[in-house]
Amino acid sequence: MATTEPLPGYEFPSGKLAKLKDANKIPLVLVACGSFSPITNLHLRMFEMIRDHVRFQATNFEVVGGMFSPVGDAYKKAGLAPGEDRLNMCKLATSNSSWIAVDDYEVLNTAYVPTANVLDHFDHEINAKLGGVECENGEKKRCQVSLIAGADLIETMSAPGVWAEKDLDRILSRDVFIVERSGTDTSAALKSLERWRERIYVVQQLVSNDISSTKIRLFLKRDMSIRWLVPDAVEAYIQEHGLFRDESADKE
């Protein structure tokens, strides 16, 4: 596991972590890594869909928290708004959530932090520093940190040479929750990840939704409405700061 260096001004957002209700379950924290440029309603719905899946599919987990981890500016991706703005939009979007928080660890880092290292960071903060997740009986239990994403992530993981084998193992051995997305052939992608198949949970979208940050940026460039596609507070922030008006419709 990679060690994490202290960051000036950094404080882990543990305030929304819930106590474990069922001591027989494994406490689970869901982590979404990505650009979130901007964050959309689908990003938020993804957490809710996966939490429902965990509850109703007889898994051995109990979700005790969710975290957004926006990528830092060192990622150097086209269409990427400044890290401070993306962080602010994520915090506005989750302000009314009782269990989803935003971590600024990646944004505060001047260097790019690989996804596997981000998960190590959460594991370190929760299990090493906090001693795990508190149960309702007062005891603490080791937490599992799992990545969540759209099905397009599995497509990149199954493509040769895109991900380092050691990073794939570090990520997928923690379990990954994937939400199906239209236009993505999940079954084909999973064939090349057979080694980790039992650790990959595929979550069906019962209400189809294909909102993406790419489409939001395209709408804004064309001066089209994004109402109801992003949280109201995020739309207001974009308008106030004039974000994405000159960005090309690059892929997310």
Side-chain angles (χ1 to χ4, degrees), residues 1 27 121-133 141-145:
M1 180 182 294
H121 154 71
F122 279 101
D123 189 282
H124 178 72
E125 291 291 335
I126 298 171
N127 291 315
K129 287 190 174 181
L130 297 179
V133 170
K141 192 169 184 178
R142 183 174 181 80
C143 172
Q144 177 159 311
V145 174

Side-chain angles (χ1 to χ4, degrees), residues 39-56:
I39 188 171
T40 72
N41 286 337
L42 180 55
H43 290 134
L44 296 163
R45 275 294 302 161
M46 184 167 61
F47 278 92
E48 300 292 342
M49 285 186 282
I50 293 172
R51 185 169 68 162
D52 280 346
H53 180 88
V54 170
R55 286 176 58 206
F56 297 118

Side-chain angles (χ1 to χ4, degrees), residues 35-47 49 68 86 89-90 93-94 100 181 209-217 220 226 228-232 234-235 238 244 252:
S35 302
F36 308 116
S37 189
I39 188 171
T40 72
N41 286 337
L42 180 55
H43 290 134
L44 296 163
R45 275 294 302 161
M46 184 167 61
F47 278 92
M49 285 186 282
F68 278 105
R86 291 181 288 107
M89 286 187 285
C90 286
T94 57
I100 306 172
R181 295 184 73 165
N209 185 336
D210 66 349
I211 299 172
S212 70
S213 298
T214 302
K215 292 178 181 178
I216 298 299
R217 295 195 299 271
L220 289 166
I226 59 170
W228 316 121
L229 300 177
V230 301
D232 289 348
V234 171
E235 181 186 16
I238 291 171
F244 309 116
E252 205 173 1

